[in-house]
C-alpha cells in the first residue's frame, strides 16, 4: 500500500518505519525535505508530494498544525486519512474541543478524504511494539466508510495490534477521551509508557 506520513516525529516515524518493514511503500511528507538526514532509506518529500503519491495519508502532526498540514497536502478526494492526532491542551490537562465534538470530526470537516480515527489512544513506543507477552494491544478505530476501515484495520494488524472497530466517526470523542486516560496514567499516575489497553472477549 502507498502510505504518506505527514509529520515525521515520534508517531509518524514509528508508524512509517513499521509499515516500511512490512513492505509498504512509505513516503514521509515534511515541511523541509532538504533538512532531512540524507542517509535515510525512506522517501522524504514535501507534504504535497507524499500525499498525492499515496492512497493512505497519516496525519501525525501536533493539533495546532492540523489545518495547515491538510492544506499543504492538497486535494485528498478518494484517499483515506488516518487521524492519529489528539486535540490536546498545551499543558496536557485535557482536550481542547467543545463538549460533544471531536478532533476527528474537525479533521473530516477539513478534507474530502475518508477519515478514520486511529493510533491516538496509545503512546508511540506501543506503535513500535504492541506485543505484551504474546498478547496484542488493542487499537480502537472509528470512521464512516467500511472499505476505509477494512484497509485501516489491516494496517494496524500489520504493526501487531488487535484492531477493534469502535463505530462511526462521531465516536471519535470516545477515542480522544481514551487517549486522555492513557496520557493521565502514563504521565500523572506514574505508569510510564510501557502499558497498553487490551479488550478482553469471551
Ligand atoms: N507522542 C505520542 O505517543 C502520541 C500518541 C498518540 C497520538 N499522538 C498525537 O500524534 C500527533 C503527533 O505527535 P508526536 O508526538 O509524533 O509529535 P512530534 O514528535 O512533535 O512530531 C510532530 C511532527 O509534525 C511535524 N509538523 C508540525 N507542523 C507541521 C505542519 N504544519 N506540516 C507538516 N508537518 C508538521 C513536525 O515537523 P517539523 O520538524 O517540521 O516541526 C514533526 O515532525 C499529535 O497530535 C499527538 O497528540 C501522539
Amino acid at each position: 500500500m502507498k502510505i504518506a506520513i505527514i509529520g515525521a516525529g515520534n508517531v509518524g516515524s514509528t508508524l512509517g518505519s513499521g509499515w516500511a518493514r512490512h513492505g509498504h511503500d512509505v513516503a514521509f511528507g515534511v515541511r523541509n525535505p532538504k533538512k532531512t538526514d540524507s542517509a535515510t532509506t525512506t522517501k522524504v518529500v514535501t507534504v504535497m508530494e507524499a500525499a498525492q503519491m499515496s492512497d493512505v495519508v497519516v496525519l501525525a502532526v501536533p493539533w495546532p498544525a492540523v489545518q495547515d498540514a491538510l492544506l499543504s497536502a492538497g486535494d485528498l478526494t478518494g484517499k483515506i486519512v488516518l487521524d492519529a492526532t489528539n486535540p490536546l491542551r498545551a499543558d496536557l490537562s485535557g482536550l481542547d474541543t467543545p463538549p460533544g465534538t471531536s478532533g476527528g470530526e474537525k479533521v473530516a470537516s477539513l478534507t474530502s478524504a475518508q477519515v478514520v480515527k486511529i493510533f491516538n489512544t496509545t503512546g508511540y513506543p506501543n506503535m513500535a511494539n504492541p506485543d505484551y507477552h504474546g498478547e496484542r494491544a488493542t487499537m480502537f478505530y472509528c470512521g464512516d466508510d467500511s472499505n476505509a476501515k477494512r484497509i485501516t484495520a489491516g494496517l494496524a494488524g500489520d504493526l501487531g495490534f488487535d484492531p477493534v472497530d469502535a463505530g462511526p466517526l462521531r465516536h471519535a470523542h470516545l477515542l480522544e477521551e481514551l487517549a486522555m486516560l492513557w496520557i493521565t496514567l502514563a504521565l500523572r499516575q506514574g505508569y510510564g509508557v510501557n502499558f497498553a489497553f487490551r479488550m478482553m472477549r469471551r
Side-chain angles (χ1 to χ4, degrees):
M1 178 126 316
K2 290 184 174 168
I3 306 172
I5 310 275
I6 311 302
N10 295 318
V11 170
S13 58
T14 304
L15 292 174
S17 43
W19 284 320
R21 276 197 301 277
H22 275 83
H24 292 289
D25 187 356
V26 174
F28 288 99
V30 302
R31 289 190 282 193
N32 193 344
K34 290 201 183 99
K35 265 175 45 184
T36 310
D37 177 7
S38 58
T40 182
T41 52
T42 316
K43 269 187 280 245
V44 182
V45 293
T46 66
V47 171
M48 175 73 83
E49 286 167 329
Q52 294 305 315
M53 70 174 72
S54 300
D55 308 306
V56 173
V57 178
V58 179
L59 196 53
V61 299
W63 180 245
V66 159
Q67 187 159 2
D68 179 65
L70 284 171
L71 268 176
S72 305
D75 183 7
L76 300 180
T77 305
K79 300 178 190 291
I80 299 168
V81 164
L82 305 188
D83 174 24
T85 68
N86 278 310
L88 298 174
R89 289 193 200 124
D91 64 358
L92 304 183
S93 63
L95 297 169
D96 203 11
T97 40
T101 68
S102 67
E105 290 161 293
K106 176 72 181 170
V107 166
S109 76
L110 296 170
T111 175
S112 54
Q114 285 295 341
V115 174
V116 180
K117 184 94 204 178
I118 189 167
F119 300 123
N120 71 306
T121 55
T122 200
Y124 73 90
N126 286 326
M127 300 177 203
N129 179 15
D131 181 277
Y132 280 78
H133 310 292
E135 304 270 24
R136 293 181 297 156
T138 295
M139 181 50 67
F140 295 103
Y141 60 94
C142 66
D144 294 335
D145 184 84
S146 55
N147 188 48
K149 291 208 285 189
R150 185 184 54 75
I151 290 168
T152 301
L155 290 173
D158 287 348
L159 296 177
F161 283 107
D162 173 26
V164 170
D165 186 350
L169 192 64
R170 65 185 163 76
H171 290 174
H173 70 103
L174 299 173
L175 273 60
E176 290 161 14
E177 294 286 2
L178 188 60
M180 271 317 304
L181 176 61
W182 194 92
I183 291 165
T184 302
L185 291 170
L187 303 182
R188 299 201 201 280
Q189 296 302 117
Y191 287 92
V193 298
N194 285 310
F195 74 96
F197 298 134
R198 173 161 171 77
M199 190 167 96
M200 292 188 286
R201 279 163 277 199
R202 63 182 170 195

